[in-house]
Amino acid sequence: MPELPEVETTLKGVSPHVINQQVAKIIVRESRLRYPIPADLGKLLSGQVISDVRRRGKYLLFATANGHLLLHLGMSGSLRMVQTGSAHGKHDHVDLQLTSGLALRYTDPRRFGMMLWLTGDPLEHKLLKSLGPEPLSDNFSGSYLYRLSRGRKVPVKSFVMNANVVVGAGNIYANEALFLAGIRPLRQAGKLSKQECERLAAAIKAVLAEAIAKGGTTLRDFVGGDGKPGYFSQSLQVYGRGGENCLKCGSPLKALRIAQRATVYCPVCQR
DNA sequence: CGAGCAACCTGCATGC
DNA sequence: TGCATGCAGGTTGCTC
């Protein structure tokens, strides 16, 4: 489910319920995620107050006085608030119970997500240290993309999906941004002009900002932390529309796979 | 270092 | 209905 807008939506949904709340206890029903959930997580978190929640890329960081809980939703993870002790389903792997009577529930059918405990500066952790800039920040721009892409032979789609280049451009939004920028996904990143890099950076910002404003993209059953679905799926121009007609020029959209990821583009509008 | 790809899992749609 | 196949929103970490 989650790309950056979905993670942002989740963050906004759960933040008000967890900030300044104390952890009563943590229930781990299944610890086998991408990395095992640390066995002593309950001991580390119980009694701690969550002072802040923030996002870095698609990672969520829950701050306490002793360290940070690092959470990634993987491909199928979600977080929501439930009443403590409410009935749980098969994939409700973790409940972080708060003294307020609410619990933060982590659900993840595919178990590609992760839940780790970090001490020290979380941004210096191996998993976060080499992440590229936030797409909606001023650190991410056309000139940055242009500079970084010189000499790179990978398809531009793979390039922008690389989290060390820029975070948050997952498969859906990479497809959409390339359409908006009028750039074919297979173009070699290093061969884009300065102007194309400007268009691409602007497109990535626009697509992500719109998706965040609409509460993310609902595919299958994604719901934000507040339980409400996202509406960006109604705005998708190319993702999931291979073989259908381009909404701009009417010609049939092409579908292919780039680095094993579904890719769709308009051969007329994108060059 | 860059590029390509396998791996981590389950659920679902499709076709026989 | 059952079974096999292929596909899915992400990321790491291995090879070459």
Side-chain angles (χ1 to χ4, degrees), chain A residues 40-53:
Chain A
D40 57 351
L41 190 61
K43 205 167 279 178
L44 292 162
L45 268 173
S46 295
Q48 294 292 308
V49 172
I50 298 171
S51 56
D52 185 37
V53 191

Side-chain angles (χ1 to χ4, degrees), chain A residues 14-263:
Chain A
V14 304
S15 287
H17 303 288
V18 299
I19 290 184
N20 294 327
Q21 295 297 319
Q22 187 181 34
V23 178
K25 107 188 210 201
I26 182 164
I27 294 177
V28 178
R29 302 185 189 86
E30 173 58 85
S31 61
R32 294 173 302 168
L33 304 185
R34 178 177 187 112
Y35 303 115
I37 297 175
D40 57 351
L41 190 61
K43 205 167 279 178
L44 292 162
L45 268 173
S46 295
Q48 294 292 308
V49 172
I50 298 171
S51 56
D52 185 37
V53 191
R54 65 189 199 276
R55 181 186 62 70
R56 175 70 179 101
K58 293 171 193 163
Y59 290 91
L60 289 173
L61 282 163
F62 295 77
T64 76
N66 288 356
H68 288 79
L69 178 68
L70 178 72
L71 187 64
H72 195 291
L73 300 175
M75 252 164 129
S76 58
S78 61
L79 271 185
R80 69 206 151 97
M81 304 306 306
V82 298
Q83 296 294 327
T84 295
S86 64
H88 62 268
K90 187 175 174 185
H91 302 299
D92 295 335
H93 304 314
V94 180
D95 280 359
L96 190 68
Q97 298 181 352
L98 306 170
T99 56
S100 66
L102 291 180
L104 184 65
R105 177 164 285 175
Y106 175 70
T107 307
D108 187 1
R110 288 175 76 177
R111 293 194 273 121
F112 280 12
M114 65 179 87
M115 199 176 283
L116 298 175
W117 182 254
L118 310 186
T119 52
D121 182 353
L123 299 183
E124 290 301 310
H125 186 272
K126 181 183 161 195
L127 293 169
L128 304 181
K129 200 176 158 79
S130 55
L131 290 179
E134 289 291 330
L136 297 178
S137 75
D138 291 342
N139 295 332
F140 178 66
S141 64
S143 58
Y144 165 84
L145 260 191
Y146 182 75
R147 208 177 334 119
L148 203 64
S149 60
R150 294 310 87 185
R152 300 290 294 270
K153 297 187 172 178
V154 280
V156 59
K157 176 162 179 269
S158 303
F159 185 70
V160 299
M161 286 180 69
N162 180 347
N164 294 334
V165 172
V166 58
V167 297
N171 198 39
I172 294 176
Y173 301 112
N175 277 299
E176 294 299 311
L178 285 163
F179 175 78
L180 192 59
I183 297 169
R184 292 196 185 194
L186 276 172
R187 292 271 306 278
Q188 282 187 16
K191 293 198 174 166
L192 295 186
S193 70
K194 184 84 197 287
Q195 190 188 34
E196 286 171 325
C197 287
E198 293 287 354
R199 286 212 310 270
L200 183 51
I204 289 170
K205 286 173 190 279
V207 165
L208 290 176
E210 189 196 344
I212 289 170
K214 295 194 174 176
T217 305
T218 292
L219 293 171
R220 299 202 176 88
D221 56 353
F222 174 81
V223 289
D226 56 0
K228 293 186 181 134
Y231 290 97
F232 188 73
S233 48
Q234 296 167 7
S235 308
L236 295 176
Q237 303 288 301
V238 289
Y239 181 81
R241 301 193 59 244
E244 297 177 33
N245 294 331
C246 174
L247 296 172
K248 205 156 96 187
C249 78
S251 29
L253 298 175
K254 289 207 172 185
L256 71 157
R257 296 184 77 76
I258 298 178
Q260 298 122 243
R261 308 303 300 274
T263 304

